[in-house]
Amino acid sequence: MFGKRIKIKELLLSDNVNYQATVMGWVRTFRNNQFIALNDGSTNNNIQVVVSLGSLDDITLKRITTGACIKATGEIIASLGKGQKVELNASSIEILGDSDAEKFPLQPKKHSLEFLREIAHLRFRTNTFGAIFRVRHSLAFAIHDFFNKKGFVYLHTPIITASDAEGAGEMFKVTTLPLDGTAPRNEDGSINFKDDFFGRNTNLTVSGQLEGELAAMAFSDIYTFGPTFRAENSNTTRHLAEFWMIEPEMAFHDLEDNMNLAEEFIKYIIRYAMENNREDLEFLSQRLEEEEKQKPQNERSELGLIQKLDFVVNNDFERITYTEAIDILKECSHNKKKKFNYLIDKWGIDLQSEHERYLVEKHFKKPVILTNYPKEIKAFYMRQNDDGKTVAAMDILAPGIGEIVGGSQREERFDKLTERMKEMHIPTEELDWYLDTRRFGACPHAGFGLGFERIVQFVTGMGNIRDVIPFPRYPKSASF
Ligand code: 4AD
Ligand code: MG
């Protein structure tokens, strides 16, 4: 029975003294055979456990090593050491799990983030990753809180699907057919999926949007929050092959309602983390400041992490059309001096992350919502504007990251939608179940997708998306 244990965060919050307490956790350091810095993951702060000299036998003393798991009971007393109000004067110490000091991979020195990625279990026990994953938790909680308060229904959309929601063909196949070349074939040589587990060709979902739209046409407002998978070979600091996405879908919303909701949503969850994870954010802010010192002056950000978050929650996002963005980019000195890898020369091209980041970091210095993109570079389901060239799309771009949200008003007009699907070679027969939403009580509706890891990156200030997900999956890597 471990019920009487107190979490270290709770202990450190109060300055009550002279009472008995039991703590459990993992030893961070053990100094002078006397002072244990103990951490249980509830906070980045350690409790100091003091072992009175001579009170423990030699064998137990030797087993108090970095990484070992212990239970300590004793009196909580005022601490004389600096940086802590209280400490635990141990009357008994029990070793729950030994840790071989010789083999323990973490040293008291700084380890690189890349090295830590290889030891998934112990990276959770570092200050940096402790802070990141507590913030990640808070953001996830705030997301449910936001939508719950607004009366949205949390919808679980399938992970295995037969459709390609984005029409981009970046899917991982799901099959139980043999991979040794003996899978049944059709006459034309293609694989015959009739004998496959699902009797058809299936894949991991790239987005729950299409299923979400079905439910929005019944509940009015729904959201999904689940894993999505993309087999795009993008080895960047912003792409994962498995990432989590939040996709709200709202009936009776147009593009502007959609933008308003997305902006309110992002501000709400950031504010929640700022109010509930102050210590962790201050730690991450400090970390970022140190990291930035390694960069040349002109590449350092002007604002610290917390200042940046403060600024974002207290200011309106800039809203401009794709066409206006192209004009700004075409005319900017960066483009004229040929400093972009991809020069902006004409309307219609897709923006690269260097362009998105120029707009948010150099030009507007705040998050930007870009709207009304050319239809050629966006998905089939987006509502076609009257100009015949653009669609009612919106992307939200954040400083340091680029795109964090992609969304649109949806094409609710059956004829327009099917026409566009045919133009884009999207199989209408396979998506007949989706087209039913446009047959039976269609309504104007809109939605968006927020990349969860991208917002975690933004809030924690981490440069690489692989460091904000517990077990990252990316090209050539699926450890653990
Ligand atoms: O822009 P995307 O592809 O939009 C959709 O999937 C729509 N179905 C959303 C909707 O309207 N319901 O993806 C949405 C967001 C992006 O803005 C980005 O933040 C994130 O998902 N994202 C990724 N995050 C990490 N790794 C990847 N490979 C990502 N691809 C997209
Ligand atoms: Mg997108």
Side-chain angles (χ1 to χ4, degrees):
M1 183 42 191
F2 291 104
K4 280 220 214 96
R5 157 198 180 214
I6 299 187
K7 286 211 176 174
I8 292 171
K9 179 178 183 179
E10 198 186 322
L11 243 179
L12 295 178
L13 269 181
S14 110
D15 31 19
N16 282 354
V17 288
N18 304 330
Y19 65 99
Q20 288 288 311
T22 296
V23 292
M24 296 176 206
W26 295 270
V27 174
R28 285 280 172 93
T29 55
F30 186 32
R31 277 190 300 124
N32 300 346
N33 262 351
Q34 210 184 350
F35 303 108
I36 305 170
L38 193 70
N39 190 280
D40 66 1
S42 59
T43 159
N44 257 352
N45 298 315
N46 305 322
I47 180 100
Q48 172 151 286
V49 175
V50 185
V51 182
S52 333
L53 288 173
S55 71
L56 280 186
D57 59 87
D58 273 1
I59 292 175
T60 310
L61 265 184
K62 283 216 175 69
R63 291 172 66 196
I64 305 175
T65 54
T66 299
C69 184
I70 68 165
K71 168 182 177 182
T73 301
E75 189 170 19
I76 300 298
I77 55 170
S79 177
L80 299 176
K82 63 172 171 23
Q84 69 222 357
K85 285 184 284 196
V86 296
E87 61 190 34
L88 186 141
N89 198 1
S91 51
S92 86
I93 289 197
E94 195 183 315
I95 311 288
L96 301 176
D98 287 287
S99 170
D100 185 339
E102 304 267 291
K103 294 189 184 140
F104 189 69
L106 293 184
Q107 301 303 320
K109 62 164 193 162
K110 247 192 160 44
H111 291 289
S112 75
L113 299 170
E114 290 77 13
F115 170 75
L116 291 172
R117 237 175 263 149
E118 291 165 13
I119 41 169
H121 161 218
L122 297 176
R123 108 175 155 144
F124 289 130
R125 289 203 210 155
T126 63
N127 285 332
T128 299
F129 288 95
I132 292 169
F133 291 118
R134 278 188 299 270
V135 170
R136 183 180 165 113
H137 159 78
S138 275
L139 289 169
F141 182 82
I143 286 163
H144 288 298
D145 191 40
F146 177 84
F147 288 119
N148 183 52
K149 279 186 179 142
K150 285 195 176 288
F152 281 55
V153 168
Y154 177 28
L155 187 79
H156 296 105
T157 47
I159 288 173
I160 300 173
T161 78
S163 57
D164 177 4
E166 291 301 300
E170 294 169 333
M171 298 167 305
F172 290 100
K173 287 209 176 308
V174 175
T175 181
T176 54
L177 289 177
L179 296 175
D180 58 4
T182 60
R185 305 259 167 186
N186 297 314
E187 273 173 18
D188 64 0
S190 60
I191 303 279
N192 183 340
F193 289 98
K194 261 213 327 272
D195 293 331
D196 201 353
F197 188 91
F198 295 108
R200 61 192 301 176
N201 187 2
T202 54
N203 48 270
L204 295 178
T205 188
V206 295
S207 155
Q209 178 194 322
L210 302 190
E211 290 89 352
E213 283 187 54
L214 268 60
M217 301 298 98
F219 298 104
S220 299
D221 298 320
I222 65 95
Y223 71 105
T224 73
F225 187 172
T228 48
F229 308 85
R230 298 209 182 164
E232 51 185 334
N233 198 3
S234 297
N235 250 309
T236 79
T237 54
R238 290 175 315 281
H239 287 89
L240 289 165
E242 176 178 304
F243 63 99
W244 288 64
M245 186 155 51
I246 300 95
E247 295 186 275
E249 192 69 34
M250 298 78 64
F252 323 118
H253 273 56
D254 64 11
L255 186 64
E256 193 177 348
D257 299 318
N258 201 25
M259 286 192 276
N260 291 344
L261 183 80
E263 184 169 340
E264 184 189 346
F265 168 55
I266 289 172
K267 288 176 173 172
Y268 182 91
I269 63 175
I270 295 178
R271 201 172 278 127
Y272 184 91
M274 292 178 78
E275 284 166 7
N276 292 277
N277 296 73
R278 196 76 202 179
E279 265 179 13
D280 286 327
L281 290 178
E282 271 162 16
F283 174 85
L284 290 166
S285 181
Q286 198 74 39
R287 195 205 75 85
L288 187 63
E289 213 172 287
E290 310 253 306
E291 191 181 82
E292 295 247 303
K293 282 188 194 147
Q294 319 294 323
K295 292 186 185 167
Q297 190 81 36
N298 65 339
E299 282 175 31
R300 294 183 203 166
S301 41
E302 289 165 28
L303 301 178
L305 179 64
I306 293 188
Q307 287 171 304
K308 177 189 79 176
L309 298 176
D310 246 329
F311 179 84
V312 167
V313 297
N314 290 314
N315 286 282
D316 290 341
F317 294 2
E318 192 71 36
R319 298 182 183 191
I320 60 165
T321 63
Y322 165 91
T323 305
E324 286 166 328
I326 288 290
D327 287 342
I328 292 170
L329 290 167
K330 212 159 62 185
E331 292 309 316
C332 75
S333 63
H334 218 74
N335 194 47
K336 291 189 166 158
K337 288 186 193 152
K338 302 199 184 333
K339 283 195 188 154
F340 287 132
N341 288 326
Y342 294 86
L343 293 182
I344 299 280
D345 50 2
K346 59 173 188 297
W347 191 93
I349 57 165
D350 205 355
L351 297 182
Q352 304 294 324
S353 104
E354 56 176 345
H355 307 128
E356 298 175 341
R357 293 186 60 176
Y358 180 88
L359 287 171
V360 287
E361 287 159 34
K362 298 272 183 315
H363 191 84
F364 290 110
K365 296 184 192 294
K366 51 157 57 174
V368 175
I369 313 186
L370 281 190
T371 58
N372 299 309
Y373 283 74
K375 64 178 181 189
E376 276 73 27
I377 57 173
K378 287 291 182 190
F380 68 90
Y381 50 70
M382 297 192 178
R383 194 173 199 279
Q384 295 158 55
N385 290 327
D386 292 340
D387 62 11
K389 293 192 320 196
T390 60
V391 285
M394 64 122 181
D395 275 10
I396 303 186
L397 316 178
I401 314 271
E403 178 188 339
I404 54 170
V405 162
S408 72
Q409 186 173 338
R410 316 304 188 195
E411 184 54 84
E412 82 282 12
R413 296 162 295 188
F414 182 87
D415 293 344
K416 291 239 174 216
L417 178 61
T418 46
E419 193 188 312
R420 187 75 190 127
M421 288 170 79
K422 283 181 192 132
E423 276 169 23
M424 295 178 76
H425 308 292
I426 307 284
T428 45
E429 327 76 60
E430 276 175 33
L431 287 175
D432 205 50
W433 56 272
Y434 173 69
L435 291 173
D436 269 355
T437 55
R438 274 64 169 175
R439 290 190 183 105
F440 308 115
C443 73
H445 63 290
F448 62 85
L450 169 71
F452 187 47
E453 284 72 24
R454 297 217 181 148
I455 191 77
V456 179
Q457 244 192 306
F458 182 72
V459 174
T460 57
M462 297 303 292
N464 195 325
I465 198 165
R466 296 170 188 178
D467 293 323
V468 300
I469 186 165
F471 304 97
R473 268 88 183 88
Y474 47 91
K476 304 280 176 283
S477 176
S479 307
F480 318 113

